Amino acid sequence: MIPALNNLLRLRLKQSWRFFTELPWLHRLLVVLLAAIFLTAYYYWTDEATDALKAYALLLLGILQIHFTRPDRQWLFTHFDRPQFIQALEYALPVVLFMPGTLGHSHWYYGLVTMLMAAGISLIPVAPLRSTWKLHFLTRRLAAHHFEWKAGLRRYGWLLFIIWVAGVLGSSLPFVSLLAIWFFTLITAAFYQECEPLPVLFAEGKSPRAFFRQKLLRETRLYLLVTAPMWLLNVVFQPNNIWATLIVAFLCVLNYMLAIAVKYSAYYPGEKVNHGSIFLSLAYLGAVVPFFTPLPPILLIRYYRTALSHLQHYLHDFH
């Protein structure tokens, strides 16, 4: 077990280093600066017990998101004897790295509890539950052009339903709905990692600009329609936090649109998009970490232009 774990850790380090070295030098510098600033702010932020609790909660949400979207699960369960144990250690390790921020304070044990909870996330089943068939009435009512949502609901429908219900029922508690919406946005944004075949792209018969604008409007309208109950109830029950609600709503919509823009900025028929994942992750943090708040609008403008340019290669005949 120990040799296997050591090999896995070496592999993760090599993967991280390779990903980092493949970035342009300006992006590498940006990543280092952002990481240094974030870690420094994090250690100062966790001086207070309440702030430390919020920080660990965000860390758990991030690990939970990784658990449900990681692409290497099948490889892990195929090549290791105790894959769930190794997965639990992988999830506990990030918490250990963040624990020094709370050491020396009366709330030092928050890190230990969070580490156990992170390890426990590995026990959550990822395969669609048998009850997922009950959500088929939703996928049947979606229009054909919402194929990303159809596929996403078949895979994560039960989880999204639980988060949606938690956001609605928890609207009377401060920030519960906002966290639910944020996590809901992370999962639905992941719907746009798979590229459709060329015939589907050609079916609209529109120019790159017309196609992309229509795509953004259609998908964003559906997202707003689904999340509207959580937003409205949060405004009703938390009138004192209305500005926080509006800011988070704005950033979540931008992040959702950014996921679509990233997909079409690196579109290749039938392939999975891995382009821009690190910047997407930082942009998602913008809704909950003020330091990253400027990233969603900046990245959306950048990837919007890149997507229009990239789609010219496929839709140049439709003008």
Side-chain angles (χ1 to χ4, degrees), residues 49-68:
T50 305
D51 293 335
L53 193 61
K54 293 176 184 177
Y56 280 128
L58 291 176
L59 186 58
L60 284 175
L61 282 174
I63 294 171
L64 197 60
Q65 194 258 344
I66 291 172
H67 178 68
F68 283 102

Side-chain angles (χ1 to χ4, degrees), residues 37-317:
I37 294 172
F38 177 73
L39 287 174
T40 304
Y42 175 85
Y43 289 136
Y44 281 107
W45 187 30
T46 51
D47 283 345
E48 298 294 332
T50 305
D51 293 335
L53 193 61
K54 293 176 184 177
Y56 280 128
L58 291 176
L59 186 58
L60 284 175
L61 282 174
I63 294 171
L64 197 60
Q65 194 258 344
I66 291 172
H67 178 68
F68 283 102
T69 58
R70 62 184 300 168
D72 63 342
R73 181 173 288 102
Q74 185 175 357
W75 172 82
L76 187 67
F77 277 72
T78 303
H79 292 84
F80 293 91
D81 294 331
R82 298 174 63 188
Q84 209 158 44
F85 175 72
I86 291 177
Q87 191 173 236
L89 290 178
E90 279 192 305
Y91 293 161
L93 183 59
V95 182
V96 174
L97 296 177
F98 282 95
M99 281 177 62
T102 53
L103 294 178
H105 300 286
S106 58
H107 51 278
W108 60 269
Y109 58 91
Y110 284 7
L112 293 177
V113 175
T114 306
M115 185 173 64
L116 293 175
M117 293 176 68
I121 289 175
S122 65
L123 301 176
I124 301 176
V126 177
L129 301 180
R130 292 183 179 275
S131 59
T132 304
W133 66 269
K134 295 179 181 178
L135 295 173
H136 283 183
F137 76 94
L138 291 176
T139 58
R140 285 197 296 267
R141 282 165 174 74
L142 288 173
H145 52 253
H146 291 306
F147 52 87
E148 293 100 343
W149 274 75
K150 286 176 176 284
L153 286 176
R154 292 189 188 102
R155 187 175 182 184
Y156 300 116
W158 65 274
L159 177 62
L160 287 171
F161 179 72
I162 291 172
I163 295 172
W164 189 88
V165 170
V168 169
L169 297 181
S171 55
S172 59
L173 300 173
F175 302 110
V176 170
S177 288
L178 297 184
L179 281 175
I181 294 168
W182 180 69
F183 197 49
F184 191 94
T185 305
L186 291 182
I187 298 176
T188 51
F191 292 174
Y192 301 94
Q193 292 180 339
E194 302 287 342
C195 295
E196 65 268 30
L198 271 179
V200 178
L201 190 71
F202 292 157
E204 299 286 347
K206 296 182 180 293
S207 67
R209 186 176 297 275
F211 166 81
F212 192 51
R213 283 183 177 176
Q214 184 183 62
K215 184 72 176 182
L216 282 177
L217 290 175
R218 275 179 181 171
E219 302 303 311
T220 306
R221 193 183 303 125
L222 177 61
Y223 167 81
L224 289 173
L225 181 65
V226 174
T227 56
M230 291 187 281
W231 294 120
L232 293 175
L233 287 172
N234 191 72
V235 170
V236 170
F237 287 104
Q238 307 294 332
N240 295 330
N241 297 327
I242 188 168
W243 284 111
T245 302
L246 292 175
I247 292 171
V248 173
F250 177 68
L251 292 172
C252 282
V253 170
L254 288 185
N255 281 327
Y256 182 79
M257 296 172 70
L258 176 61
I260 302 173
V262 168
K263 170 186 173 179
Y264 288 104
S265 70
Y267 172 85
Y268 191 83
E271 296 293 327
K272 185 173 182 178
V273 175
N274 294 313
H275 176 68
S277 57
I278 186 168
F279 293 107
L280 269 177
S281 301
L282 294 175
Y284 293 155
L285 287 174
V288 290
V289 180
F291 177 75
F292 296 111
T293 298
L295 281 180
I298 293 173
L299 291 177
L300 179 58
I301 293 172
R302 174 195 172 188
Y303 281 106
Y304 180 88
R305 293 173 177 172
T306 306
L308 289 180
S309 175
H310 187 72
L311 286 171
Q312 290 283 352
H313 298 296
Y314 299 96
L315 301 176
H316 53 84
D317 290 335

